[in-house]
Amino acid sequence: MLAIVNSVALQGLDGLIVKVEVDVSVGLPRLDLVGLPDTAVRESKERVRAAIKNSGFEFPVKRITVNLAPADIRKEGPVYDLPIAIGILAASGQIPMDKCSDYIFIGELSLDGAIRAVNGSLPAALAVKEHHYKSMVVPASNAPEAALVQEVDVYPASSLSQLVSSLIDNGEFTPFTVDIDELLNNTSSPILDFAEVKGQLAPKRAMEVAAAGGHNILLIGSPGSGKTMLARRLPGILPELTLAEAMEVTKVHSLAGLLKPNQALVTERPFRSPHHSASPASIVGGGSIPKPGEISLAHNGVLFLDEILEFRKDVLESLRQPLEDGQVSITRVQSSLTYPASIMLVSSANPCPCGYYGDSSKECNCTPYQIQRYLRRLSGPLLDRIDMHIEVPRLDYSDLENTEPGEPSALIKKRVEKAREIQRKRFSQSNARVGCNAHMPASLVRKHCTATDEAKSLLRTAFKQLNLSARSHDKILRVARTIADLANSNIIEANHIAEAIQYRNLESELFN
């Protein structure tokens, strides 16, 4: 007897429907799996056999052939345990076929018949919606995230016996629901606050500008000046995730298996801080089975590279294309995957190997050649893609003994959110998907970065004197547009351009 059960195969964040075809026929007892299964799928034979027996059902002592169609797509992971088991029970007559034909099934089986969570249930649910299916059965702990796709009825299942009983008696099978508004409002206040930062008014202003426009930023200063302290407080002034942004972040984290148990939605902007010993595959993504890397896990959030000059050169160069395109393309012989990578790159660096070049209190013992060789670990093309280069000076003792708290993150965040709202309204009429000034394409830069004659003259002079590239020219305009938004100005004034230019000064002073 033949039974066909539906499941989902994920290729990156995209999914396609897999037909699990199970044929039970007379012959020597054996179970064959075909359709390009990987090791985890092939091992499902033993898990399915034990789960069916230990759940009180009969495992057919016949020839069983399971085909995962389409056969030219590689099937990976344990998500096919549940549909294979349901297919065997349907093909052997233990479940009426019409009771399971309308559902999509995903889930891993334990030997006692319990259904374990799997990665990627949210991307799978979105694939179910895209292929116009209405019902889906998922492990109970995956139900909150899958139920975010409200156009699909998501049914939680905790064990194989409970699922079969529910399928036979539809009255006991009710879909799982979540309150998306409640999830979005369930955000905790930041633990790290800018009020704790002593002094550093200019760097704090630069962090506000970067947050308001989503700009990449490089912090340069001697050890202990507060670069890492500033960077780790950046998420506290970034605007809250929108529902669309939260769904995108949750998809990536679900696929990577980073969601907490029963966590439905990622509601806080990611902050990823990989160690400088990281490999290109861990940063950009890849592996024999391609997985999202740190840059994709930081999507719609912050990727912080502390001591960026200590990272391997091939790691840094691999960032160039994602920073430009906002996505990562991973190509393999059998497939090509694309992961989102719309991030704020925040990096820190010492100005020389000893760390004290230009320091007001400690003398640098590096030679000019050593300094230049050290700084050139950051290539010109990558530096050109970083919008703002900020010097973080050593603090005076008077700043440290000052007991008055600085401006709290909550107040800075209000100004940032107001500027982002101006940007959202500005780009709402655009066909291009742009969320902030940093991501404006060149065509929108010409349209929205209107400047006064004085501002244009100042930018023209800086372009010649600082020997800027065309990309640097546009980045200055984007930063100036953000500064103008913070000032609630429709036109870019000369003082806005002047502030934006000073955020590129270090490029000519240190890196040339």
Side-chain angles (χ1 to χ4, degrees):
M1 184 176 176
L2 175 67
I4 300 177
V5 177
N6 297 314
S7 189
V8 178
L10 291 177
Q11 293 183 299
L13 293 177
D14 300 321
L16 57 92
I17 301 300
V18 170
K19 300 288 184 180
V20 181
E21 303 170 344
V22 181
D23 179 68
V24 177
S25 59
V26 177
L28 292 175
R30 62 178 296 174
L31 173 57
D32 292 321
L33 269 173
V34 296
L36 280 184
D38 72 348
T39 302
V41 180
R42 287 195 297 269
E43 290 176 348
S44 67
K45 295 188 293 185
E46 303 308 322
R47 293 193 296 271
V48 168
R49 189 193 310 273
I52 289 177
K53 289 182 177 180
N54 292 329
S55 297
F57 302 106
E58 179 185 350
F59 189 86
V61 188
K62 295 182 179 181
R63 173 73 179 268
I64 303 173
T65 303
V66 178
N67 178 42
L68 306 177
D72 59 340
I73 301 297
R74 186 166 180 79
K75 317 304 185 305
E76 300 167 348
V79 297
Y80 304 103
D81 288 7
L82 183 58
I84 291 173
I86 294 295
I88 291 174
L89 292 176
S92 59
Q94 300 178 70
I95 302 177
M97 187 60 212
D98 61 342
K99 296 290 186 178
C100 53
S101 58
D102 294 333
Y103 298 95
I104 304 290
F105 296 88
I106 61 171
E108 177 185 350
L109 289 174
S110 63
L111 299 185
D112 63 355
I115 301 176
R116 291 176 172 160
V118 294
N119 296 339
S121 61
L122 176 56
L126 290 169
V128 170
K129 171 190 169 184
E130 290 169 4
H131 288 84
H132 308 294
Y133 284 82
K134 299 296 183 182
S135 303
M136 182 181 188
V137 176
V138 302
S141 54
N142 287 134
E145 59 172 298
L148 293 172
V149 185
Q150 298 190 330
E151 295 83 353
V152 176
D153 291 333
V154 174
Y155 296 91
S158 56
S159 68
L160 184 60
S161 58
Q162 172 258 320
L163 173 59
V164 171
S165 175
S166 298
L167 285 172
I168 295 174
D169 185 3
N170 288 332
E172 299 179 3
F173 217 18
T174 55
F176 189 92
T177 58
V178 294
D179 187 337
I180 294 180
D181 292 333
E182 182 181 348
L183 292 174
L184 281 174
N185 294 328
N186 187 24
T187 57
S188 58
S189 57
I191 299 175
L192 303 176
D193 199 296
F194 268 97
E196 302 164 353
V197 180
K198 303 289 187 180
Q200 304 295 14
L201 296 181
K204 283 196 284 189
R205 164 65 178 177
M207 298 297 284
E208 178 181 341
V209 173
H215 301 287
N216 302 325
I217 188 169
L218 170 63
L219 304 169
I220 300 179
S222 56
S225 58
K227 304 184 295 297
T228 303
M229 189 177 189
L230 287 165
R232 292 194 178 278
R233 280 154 181 76
L234 180 61
I237 63 172
L238 290 174
E240 301 294 340
L241 286 170
T242 64
L243 176 58
E245 290 175 332
M247 290 282 281
E248 291 176 355
V249 174
T250 305
K251 282 169 61 178
V252 179
H253 284 240
S254 173
L255 187 65
L258 296 180
L259 292 182
K260 299 175 183 177
N262 295 313
Q263 181 183 12
L265 190 68
V266 177
T267 56
E268 297 179 356
R269 292 192 180 271
F271 182 89
R272 306 292 298 183
S273 180
H275 191 262
H276 63 76
S277 62
S279 66
S282 67
I283 296 294
V284 178
S288 57
I289 301 175
K291 297 293 184 183
E294 292 289 339
I295 194 169
S296 294
L297 295 173
H299 178 59
N300 287 330
V302 176
L303 177 65
F304 177 43
L305 302 185
D306 199 6
E307 300 300 340
I308 188 172
L309 298 179
E310 300 300 328
F311 282 77
R312 287 166 39 186
K313 191 172 183 64
D314 57 342
V315 171
L316 297 180
E317 294 307 302
S318 67
L319 295 174
R320 286 161 58 173
Q321 179 261 335
L323 288 177
E324 194 73 16
D325 299 340
Q327 61 182 23
V328 174
S329 297
I330 302 172
T331 303
R332 294 291 182 267
V333 174
Q334 294 182 340
S335 63
S336 179
L337 307 178
T338 299
Y339 294 117
S342 179
I343 64 165
M344 275 187 67
L345 175 64
V346 179
S347 53
S348 68
N350 293 327
C352 67
C354 77
Y356 297 103
Y357 176 64
D359 191 90
S360 59
S361 301
K362 279 198 173 185
E363 184 177 353
C364 173
N365 56 20
C366 303
T367 65
Y369 172 74
Q370 288 175 322
I371 295 173
Q372 287 301 313
R373 184 181 178 186
Y374 182 71
L375 294 176
R376 282 173 183 166
R377 295 182 185 178
L378 194 62
S379 69
L382 180 57
L383 182 65
D384 211 28
R385 287 169 167 81
I386 300 177
D387 308 41
M388 304 168 64
H389 314 143
I390 309 303
E391 184 177 9
V392 184
R394 174 189 290 270
L395 284 174
D396 294 328
Y397 186 76
S398 58
D399 292 320
L400 293 175
E401 68 177 355
N402 185 3
T403 58
E404 293 185 8
E407 186 177 25
S409 293
L411 291 180
I412 302 174
K413 184 175 182 177
K414 288 182 179 179
R415 296 196 295 268
V416 169
E417 289 180 331
K418 185 177 179 181
R420 286 286 185 106
E421 182 60 31
I422 292 172
Q423 294 165 46
R424 275 193 290 270
K425 291 180 180 178
R426 175 184 301 133
F427 301 130
S428 61
Q429 305 300 323
S430 170
N431 292 328
R433 188 183 177 190
V434 181
C436 56
N437 288 334
H439 301 151
M440 271 193 291
S443 59
L444 293 184
V445 171
R446 304 292 175 263
K447 180 179 179 181
H448 295 300
C449 295
T450 306
T452 63
D453 292 339
E454 185 182 359
K456 291 177 182 177
S457 176
L458 182 59
L459 181 56
R460 187 181 305 113
T461 302
F463 185 82
K464 294 178 181 178
Q465 292 184 354
L466 299 179
N467 194 25
L468 298 175
S469 67
R471 182 185 284 116
S472 297
H473 171 272
D474 283 1
K475 286 193 177 295
I476 288 175
L477 279 176
R478 292 186 182 100
V479 174
R481 180 66 268 171
T482 299
I483 296 169
D485 289 341
L486 284 167
N488 200 23
S489 173
N490 291 327
I491 299 178
I492 298 174
E493 306 282 351
N495 61 312
H496 304 148
I497 287 287
E499 183 177 353
I501 290 172
Q502 78 170 4
Y503 295 140
R504 305 289 299 196
N505 274 346
L506 289 178
E507 184 176 359
S508 59
E509 293 178 6
L510 289 178
F511 293 92
N512 289 333

